[in-house]
Amino acid sequence: MSQKPAIIIDLRFNQDNVRAGLKGAFLDREVINRADPANRDKDLSHAHYALLWKPMDDLFSRATGLKALFSGGAGVDHVLTLPGLPDLPLVRFVDPSLTNRMSEWVVMQCLMHLRQHVAYNRQHAKKLWSPLNQPEASDLTVGVMGMGVLGTDSARKLKIMGFNVVGWSRTKKSVEGIETFEGSELDAFLGKTDILVGLLPLTPDTKGIFNAALFAKLRRGGALGAPVFINAGRGGSQVEADIIAAIEKGVLKGASLDVFETEPLPASSKLWSMDTVLMTPHTASDSEARALFAHVERQIDRYEAGQPLQHLVSRDAGY
Ligand code: NDP
Ligand code: OXD
């Protein structure tokens, strides 16, 4: 039996995880893992597929026979801006393992702010035993910007925890128990929001959207005293100078950030020294290698059986 067309793996991921994941994946086809030094000069022109995340510069000039591309993550802003990107179908990563991890992170951050962990951490440092008044989740409204795969799951799980939840997206959504707003209704959505969660893709429309003007429209006088901003979408959607200024002026009470304008976050950033800002290094939801490979295998099986690919990126929309 002849082998099926080859796949190139060009992932700037932890290579131990990639190699372990590849042991049980793509067993019926040649796999060219570009991180393997033995593949450095390998001919790539016969491969039909490439799975990529921050790939090597020469991928597209050498892999001239590609039929479909697969993003190693859910976001594709960095793929769509790659020099020489061929005009081929691009599939992004959608999988329960990614969705569940993101919802864990979002729910955890909302609970950290609800349960006043910033204040308790300060007290801890001073060995201070001083109970604070504690609002309930139902006293607050979390507004999720980006009601896609990740935002909708996070919204549902926040609802289960007792939060009131509202959602905003380009097109209007219908999600049980959640009031939703479409693109033109942003101000109405913001006016209801005590904790703002960003789960937007980075596109020309969402670049810098989390800025001073937007923070000023969030609901004032809620149970936390001032609104909180949480972002795990993309750092390019936030204006960090505005986040810092909003916290210093009391427009925002605090923030949780997983993504940054520049990653890694430069040591010079003031965010590092702000104890009302909880930060993680773009790890809210990592792509798990085995789940990623299984997802790509499923999509290639569909493609080779003549069925449409799923989770296709729209070049026009940019996500
Ligand atoms: P989806 O494509 O499923 O959802 C994107 C959502 O954003 C949709 O609801 C879409 O609206 C909305 N949207 C896009 N542009 C606009 C706009 N201009 N105005 C209003 N709404 C808009 O993506 P996912 O939920 O899978 O992922 C979201 C993002 O999360 C990724 O693009 C990535 O950047 C980030 N991410 C971060 C990770 C991390 O570890 N920090 C991990 C994984 C992803 P509509 O529904 O109308 O199309
Ligand atoms: C992604 C990410 O887009 O990890 O999947 O940021």
Side-chain angles (χ1 to χ4, degrees):
M1 194 180 72
S2 68
Q3 272 210 331
K4 292 181 174 171
I7 180 163
I8 299 167
I9 310 292
D10 202 337
L11 296 170
R12 218 167 281 180
F13 282 11
N14 175 312
Q15 284 304 313
D16 291 341
N17 294 343
V18 170
R19 283 193 201 97
L22 282 177
K23 284 200 178 118
F26 307 112
L27 298 178
D28 51 1
R29 67 185 76 243
E30 183 191 3
V31 176
I32 307 168
N33 181 8
R34 299 204 73 199
D36 183 344
N39 288 332
R40 189 150 299 148
D41 299 320
K42 183 130 188 160
D43 174 31
L44 305 179
S45 63
H46 60 294
H48 282 194
Y49 314 108
L51 169 55
L52 52 112
W53 183 262
K54 301 182 181 164
M56 295 183 189
D57 289 347
D58 61 354
L59 174 65
F60 300 128
S61 60
R62 294 183 53 202
T64 50
L66 292 174
K67 309 269 187 238
L69 305 174
F70 299 87
S71 165
V76 291
D77 44 293
H78 57 93
V79 179
L80 294 178
T81 49
L82 283 172
L85 178 72
D87 187 13
L88 294 172
L90 169 63
V91 174
R92 66 193 196 91
F93 185 34
V94 176
D95 188 79
S97 73
L98 193 81
T99 307
N100 291 336
R101 285 157 202 242
M102 181 57 84
S103 297
E104 288 168 7
W105 186 90
V106 169
V107 172
M108 175 177 75
Q109 298 304 329
C110 289
L111 289 174
M112 297 275 269
H113 291 283
L114 169 71
R115 299 308 303 247
Q116 309 190 63
H117 258 264
V118 165
Y120 283 125
N121 282 341
R122 280 188 186 144
Q123 294 187 12
H124 185 140
K126 294 182 194 153
K127 300 187 181 168
L128 192 60
W129 181 281
S130 177
L132 301 168
N133 282 337
Q134 184 56 62
E136 277 184 51
S138 59
D139 297 326
L140 294 172
T141 297
V142 181
V144 180
M145 274 177 87
M147 287 289 284
V149 175
L150 302 181
T152 301
D153 192 69
S154 293
R156 287 205 174 103
K157 288 172 179 166
L158 288 163
K159 186 86 195 158
I160 291 168
M161 289 308 303
F163 289 101
N164 303 301
V165 184
V166 295
W168 179 79
S169 46
R170 213 154 59 113
T171 53
K172 187 148 173 92
K173 299 285 178 285
S174 173
V175 185
E176 200 186 333
I178 295 174
E179 190 181 1
T180 58
F181 297 80
E182 64 179 19
S184 62
E185 300 171 318
L186 180 59
D187 288 2
F189 160 87
L190 294 171
K192 295 196 169 214
T193 295
D194 300 302
I195 300 181
L196 179 65
V197 174
L199 279 172
L200 287 167
L202 179 60
T203 70
D205 289 340
T206 64
K207 188 169 167 19
I209 193 169
F210 300 118
N211 57 31
L214 181 140
F215 299 141
K217 292 177 183 166
L218 291 166
R219 179 158 71 174
R220 312 289 315 161
L224 292 179
V228 163
F229 173 55
I230 294 175
N231 192 16
R234 280 288 182 268
S237 296
Q238 72 199 17
V239 180
E240 281 158 22
D242 287 6
I243 298 173
I244 292 166
I247 292 174
E248 286 177 339
K249 289 182 195 150
V251 173
L252 289 176
K253 183 172 184 188
S256 291
L257 305 175
D258 182 61
V259 289
F260 301 90
E261 286 176 54
T262 303
E263 296 181 5
L265 180 65
S268 59
S269 171
K270 197 167 185 184
L271 289 169
W272 286 112
S273 57
M274 299 183 80
D275 68 359
T276 50
V277 181
L278 307 176
M279 300 198 289
T280 47
H282 201 141
T283 48
S285 186
D286 282 343
S287 297
E288 200 275 319
R290 276 178 222 277
L292 174 63
F293 298 151
H295 147 87
V296 174
E297 280 181 318
R298 279 192 298 276
Q299 294 306 318
I300 292 179
D301 284 351
R302 289 178 66 91
Y303 183 78
E304 291 181 346
Q307 294 167 3
L309 290 164
Q310 297 169 309
H311 316 303
L312 278 171
V313 171
S314 155
R315 300 274 176 121
D316 290 338
Y319 65 96

